[in-house]
């Protein structure tokens, strides 16, 4: 089998150089990704592009049920929660081993979370761990015995089980971290259905079937992830047979692919929001009236209908409507009203100062970012706001935006796909989530009432009460307009007709454990 697999991967290497070849290797799935992964350390990355690989190499204590964002057991067989909501006790699955042959047990779980959360842990310097915020309520992790682990929280934390199912909660091999240290992200070891085999930078990343997977071996022998940043190139590769799966299909191509019997188009609604981060700390957007003016100036209807061709709906605020229970339906999107925008700019004393606008070439959930950025620039300039665009490759873009916009830019495109209504506002709108504190509040928005509502919402276990708090938060953020709220996307992918059991998930992850390609 190894010789056959090596031949298949070699064939894929030839395929990379010769897109005209019309067939990918048998029983090997070739996936067209939107960018090169940053790292394969699940604790160190934030992009869905990377998560789409990681969820096939690693498992968490919990995972999302197929087709939902509800959690079910994974590496943990069961759990109990104390009456005060502050202690979670997990019974672990027995007999599971990491890809390097070392045992999965309670000490391994403790190592993972201590590594992220404790600055004095010997491997904390293998970070940074930008989404460790997901587990900020964890006070202590205790390995009770080989198969029992206890999480003691400082306060009740409603999103805890859901956050454990997110890639930040995936469990890595302690032995592999100890062996590779800061290079672990290039030498990943998990317990998942596929094990890491090869990473040829900017060409392909290969994972092979884990024959000993605790949940049963996958049908596929291997998956080859190819980073193809240009959407038109991805389409050309898909049409010529160089790919079996392509994610984030441009709207222009969806109809063409739907009408071709050689392909299957998949669509799935999920919690996504596409927005503009505004620099509220300095420059014109430090004034609320100017931020509101930008929301009125931008024609979201034209963006969603003309550029995105109906693959997205206009966003009304920071919470995606896919979180139906927490979404404030009373909130209306800012209408396109250029005259209102001009009035607000005049009242704010905006003097025509040039705005620097960061735009990305691509990226997770960014849809058609260059076309979107150009249209937004035109809308703002139509009301008298001068805009200069700076365009960057996705990972370079994140390296500029995530540390904060101060001294660099006035606005930046961004998209988030999240697992809980707590996640995005907690990581990107709280005053305690500024970039210098490890958060993603790159526009430096601060509102004490928003902080208070978010803190209360994570500690309340009753969903109805949580919903009221989130709805209040949305009203305040809508009024303060720290972002321009643009679109909520319906994700898509296309597969070759010979790909079986492929499904998109509301988590936006690519779960390939059951996919087959006879």
């Amino acid at each position: 089998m190894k010789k056959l697999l090596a031949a298949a991967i070699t064939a894929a290497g030839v395929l990379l150089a010769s897109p005209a070849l019309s067939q990918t290797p048998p029983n090997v799935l070739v996936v067209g990704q939107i960018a090169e992964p940053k790292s394969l350390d699940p604790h160190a990355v934030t992009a869905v592009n990377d998560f789409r690989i990681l969820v096939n190499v690693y498992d968490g204590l919990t995972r999302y049920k197929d087709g939902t964002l509800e959690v079910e057991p994974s590496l943990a067989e069961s759990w109990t929660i104390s009456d005060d909501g502050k202690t979670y006790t997990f019974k672990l699955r027995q007999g599971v081993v990491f890809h390097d042959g070392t045992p999965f047990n309670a000490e391994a779980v403790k190592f993972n979370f201590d590594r992220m959360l404790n600055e004095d842990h010997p491997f904390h310097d293998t970070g940074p761990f930008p989404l460790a915020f997901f587990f900020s309520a964890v006070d202590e992790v205790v390995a009770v015995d080989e198969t029992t682990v206890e999480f003691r929280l400082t306060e009740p934390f409603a999103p805890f089980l859901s956050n454990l199912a997110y890639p930040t909660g995936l469990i890595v091999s302690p032995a592999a971290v100890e062996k590779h240290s800061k290079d672990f992200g290039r030498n990943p070891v998990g317990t998942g259905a596929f094990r890491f085999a090869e990473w040829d930078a900017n060409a392909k990343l290969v994972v092979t079937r884990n024959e000993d997977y605790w949940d049963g071996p996958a049908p596929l022998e291997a998956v080859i992830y190819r980073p193809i940043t240009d959407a038109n190139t991805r389409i050309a590769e898909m049409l010529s047979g160089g790919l079996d799966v392509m994610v984030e299909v441009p709207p222009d191509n969806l109809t063409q692919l739907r009408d071709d019997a050689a392909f299957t188009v998949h669509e799935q609604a999920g919690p996504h929001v596409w927005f503009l981060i505004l620099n509220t700390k300095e420059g014109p957007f430090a004034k609320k009236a100017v931020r509101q003016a930008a929301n009125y100036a931008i024609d979201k209807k034209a963006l969603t209908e003309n550029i995105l061709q109906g693959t997205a709906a206009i966003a009304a605020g920071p919470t995606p409507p896919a979180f139906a229970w927490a979404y404030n339906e009373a909130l209306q999107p800012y209408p396109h009203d250029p005259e209102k925008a001009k009035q607000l700019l005049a009242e704010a004393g905006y003097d025509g100062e040039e705005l620097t606008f960061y735009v990305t070439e691509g990226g997770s959930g960014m849809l058609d970012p260059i076309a979107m950025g150009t249209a937004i620039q035109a809308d703002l300039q139509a009301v008298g706001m001068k805009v200069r665009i700076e365009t960057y490759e996705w990972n370079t873009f994140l390296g500029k935006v995530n540390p904060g916009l101060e001294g660099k830019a006035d606005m930046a495109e961004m998209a988030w796909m999240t697992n809980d209504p707590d996640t995005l506002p907690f990581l990107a709108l709280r005053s305690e989530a500024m970039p210098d504190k490890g958060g993603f509040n790159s526009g430096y928005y601060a509102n004490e009432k928003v902080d208070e509502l978010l803190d209360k919402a994570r500690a309340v276990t009753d969903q109805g009460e949580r919903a009221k708090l989130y709805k209040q938060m949305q009203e305040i953020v809508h009024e303060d307009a720290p972002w321009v709220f643009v679109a909520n996307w319906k994700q898509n992918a296309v597969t070759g007709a010979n790909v079986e059991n492929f499904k998109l998930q509301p988590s936006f992850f690519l779960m390939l454990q059951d996919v087959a390609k006879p």
Side-chain angles (χ1 to χ4, degrees):
M1 196 273 247
K2 286 185 177 178
K3 286 184 179 178
L4 287 173
L5 190 54
I9 292 169
T10 302
V14 173
L15 190 75
L16 301 185
S18 250
L21 290 179
S22 60
Q23 192 171 6
T24 55
N27 212 28
V28 174
L29 193 76
V30 182
V31 179
Q33 289 271 96
I34 59 170
E36 175 83 348
K38 182 179 179 181
S39 167
L40 294 183
D41 181 344
H43 306 155
V45 294
T46 64
V48 169
N49 181 64
D50 300 357
F51 295 166
R52 287 173 175 141
I53 302 171
L54 297 172
V55 292
N56 297 289
V57 176
Y58 301 91
D59 300 304
L61 296 179
T62 64
R63 65 187 180 191
Y64 298 122
K65 291 180 185 176
D66 183 37
T68 77
L69 289 173
E70 299 172 27
V71 298
E72 67 178 9
S74 184
L75 289 177
E77 287 187 320
S78 63
W79 55 83
T80 57
I81 307 170
S82 63
D83 291 341
D84 64 3
K86 292 165 66 173
T87 303
Y88 287 70
T89 304
F90 294 88
K91 294 302 292 184
L92 304 181
R93 198 172 295 279
Q94 297 185 44
V96 177
V97 294
F98 290 102
H99 300 150
D100 57 8
T102 59
F104 162 75
N105 53 31
E107 285 294 343
V109 176
K110 177 176 172 58
F111 177 99
N112 273 255
F113 289 90
D114 286 355
R115 173 190 178 224
M116 275 193 283
L117 300 172
N118 296 348
E119 291 183 5
D120 58 353
H121 188 271
F123 292 93
H124 184 74
D125 65 353
T126 56
F129 308 114
L131 295 183
F133 265 117
F134 273 57
F135 304 109
S136 57
V138 174
D139 182 46
E140 187 180 12
V141 183
V142 178
V144 178
D145 57 39
E146 279 284 298
T147 59
T148 310
V149 65
E150 192 172 272
F151 287 76
R152 298 172 184 170
L153 312 186
T154 55
E155 59 187 355
F157 180 44
F160 184 58
L161 291 171
S162 177
N163 284 0
L164 286 173
Y166 205 68
T168 313
L170 294 171
I171 303 297
V172 310
S173 162
V177 173
E178 290 167 0
K179 178 180 178 180
H180 296 289
S181 190
K182 293 185 179 181
D183 291 327
F184 173 74
R186 303 286 303 193
N187 300 275
V189 178
T191 60
F194 295 90
R195 61 176 72 219
F196 173 71
E198 177 188 352
W199 187 348
D200 182 2
N202 297 305
K204 65 179 183 290
L205 189 151
V206 183
V207 297
T208 57
R209 179 167 58 205
N210 175 10
E211 302 290 350
D212 301 317
Y213 187 45
W214 60 267
D215 207 13
L220 294 167
E221 290 181 50
V223 181
I224 299 172
Y225 298 91
R226 293 182 51 197
I228 307 173
T229 55
D230 180 70
N232 290 326
T233 305
R234 283 203 306 281
I235 284 290
E237 287 280 2
M238 193 75 211
L239 292 172
S240 68
L243 298 175
D244 299 306
V245 178
M246 174 186 167
V247 294
E248 305 196 24
V249 182
D252 280 344
N253 301 105
L254 278 176
T255 302
Q256 173 192 5
L257 291 164
R258 278 196 188 101
D259 294 341
D260 191 327
F263 304 102
T264 303
V265 171
H266 307 260
E267 293 179 293
Q268 163 73 245
H272 167 279
V273 59
W274 197 106
F275 57 99
L276 302 180
I277 303 169
L278 304 180
N279 184 343
T280 68
K281 190 173 190 176
E282 59 188 4
F285 291 128
K287 294 181 179 178
K288 179 169 76 172
V290 180
R291 301 194 299 270
Q292 290 179 335
N295 273 278
Y296 283 114
I298 294 169
D299 189 349
K300 277 85 70 177
K301 188 171 186 285
L303 292 175
T304 55
E305 291 184 0
N306 299 339
I307 295 176
L308 303 181
Q309 298 181 38
T311 59
I314 298 171
T319 300
F323 293 126
W325 64 271
Y327 181 66
N328 190 335
E329 292 185 353
L331 222 57
Q332 294 299 312
Y334 276 83
H336 181 223
D337 191 339
E339 293 309 312
K340 176 73 170 177
K342 290 175 184 177
Q343 175 193 333
L344 287 167
L345 291 174
E347 290 172 2
Y350 172 67
D351 61 1
E353 179 183 344
E354 185 178 66
L355 304 169
T356 299
F357 180 19
Y358 282 171
V359 169
T360 179
E361 294 174 355
S364 309
M366 293 305 303
L367 312 183
D368 196 348
I370 292 178
M372 296 276 280
T374 303
I376 287 166
Q377 178 190 41
D379 284 345
L380 293 176
Q381 293 189 161
V383 299
M385 303 180 81
K386 298 175 184 174
V387 178
R388 177 173 58 87
I389 287 178
E390 293 184 14
T391 306
Y392 299 98
E393 175 274 331
W394 177 234
N395 286 318
T396 304
F397 175 85
L398 292 178
K400 286 184 167 291
V401 175
N402 287 349
L405 300 183
E406 184 178 8
K408 297 182 293 189
D410 299 283
M411 53 196 289
E413 297 178 335
M414 188 49 65
W416 275 67
M417 295 165 274
T418 59
N419 63 315
D420 189 276
D422 167 81
T423 307
L424 177 55
F426 191 82
L427 292 178
L429 288 171
R430 283 184 317 124
S431 58
E432 287 297 309
M434 300 297 178
D436 63 351
K437 296 180 180 178
F440 294 88
N441 190 346
S442 300
Y444 316 100
Y445 172 64
N447 183 303
E448 288 183 3
K449 184 63 176 175
V450 168
D451 291 348
E452 178 189 332
L453 290 166
L454 289 172
D455 286 341
K456 282 184 180 177
R458 359 176 69 198
V460 171
T461 52
D462 179 79
Q463 192 177 82
E465 286 302 310
R466 286 184 77 200
K468 289 178 185 176
L469 296 166
Y470 289 131
K471 289 175 183 180
Q472 289 178 53
M473 175 275 295
Q474 290 165 60
E475 290 173 2
I476 296 169
V477 173
H478 181 271
E479 168 69 18
D480 282 349
W483 302 340
V484 174
F485 314 106
V486 178
N488 302 120
W489 174 56
K490 183 162 68 174
Q491 64 169 320
N492 61 54
V494 62
T495 58
N498 61 336
V499 175
E500 299 177 356
N501 303 329
F502 179 90
K503 288 175 68 176
L504 287 173
Q505 301 290 335
S507 62
F508 293 91
F509 307 153
L510 284 186
M511 310 301 293
L512 304 178
Q513 292 87 343
D514 297 324
V515 172
K517 193 184 121 186

